[in-house]
Amino acid sequence: MEGVKISSIYTGRLFITNVLQILQYALVKPDIPWAVWFSLMAVQILSTRIPFLPSQDVLYVTLALEMSDLVRVPEAEIVGILTANLILKKIIGAVSFFLTSLKQSSMEIPSDEEIKEFKTQA
């Protein structure tokens, strides 16, 4: 049950972040087709899932800058969009941490006697 909660929080945060980023892209450059922005988000998701890579965001920025010719967006605009996206991700991460911390702090902490009783029942 706890795994489902954690998974839903993570999936919700990922979904909200990506939708907001795609909307941001579409607002900045409305003449670019939506498929281009979805492709850029797919590259971001894939590049940040490579295990044991210390600088996943740097890899994504590099790939996005290389794709700038393909998507017909000047590099300066891509850098501006990516900077805003990184800030947005940090804000959403902080908000989700704050909200889950509030919920966790409102939970009751079992007393020592309750813990001992639980251990004896197990």
Side-chain angles (χ1 to χ4, degrees):
M1 188 64 171
E2 193 70 25
V4 172
K5 288 180 189 178
I6 292 170
S7 178
S8 64
I9 290 170
Y10 180 76
T11 303
R13 186 172 60 96
L14 180 71
F15 180 75
I16 289 170
T17 302
N18 288 335
V19 167
L20 288 175
Q21 287 178 356
I22 289 171
L23 288 174
Q24 179 186 8
Y25 291 155
L27 289 173
V28 171
K29 294 295 277 181
D31 54 323
I32 305 294
W34 283 78
V36 171
W37 302 130
F38 281 106
S39 299
L40 198 57
M41 293 311 309
V43 168
Q44 180 186 20
I45 291 170
L46 291 174
S47 67
T48 57
R49 298 304 182 264
I50 299 172
F52 307 114
L53 185 66
S55 302
Q56 295 170 339
D57 288 334
V58 174
L59 175 64
Y60 169 62
V61 169
T62 304
L63 291 172
L65 289 175
E66 290 296 322
M67 287 179 58
S68 67
D69 291 334
L70 177 68
V71 296
R72 299 178 313 274
V73 179
E75 282 189 12
E77 290 181 14
I78 290 281
V79 168
I81 289 171
L82 295 178
T83 302
N85 285 343
L86 290 174
I87 293 170
L88 179 65
K89 274 176 50 176
K90 299 300 179 191
I91 289 172
I92 289 174
V95 167
S96 66
F97 174 76
F98 178 71
L99 292 176
T100 55
S101 295
L102 282 178
K103 182 172 178 159
Q104 189 176 25
S105 67
S106 67
M107 295 173 57
E108 279 188 37
I109 299 175
S111 67
D112 289 337
E113 292 82 29
E114 291 173 332
I115 293 172
K116 288 178 186 176
E117 181 180 326
F118 179 75
K119 286 181 179 179
T120 58
Q121 290 176 358

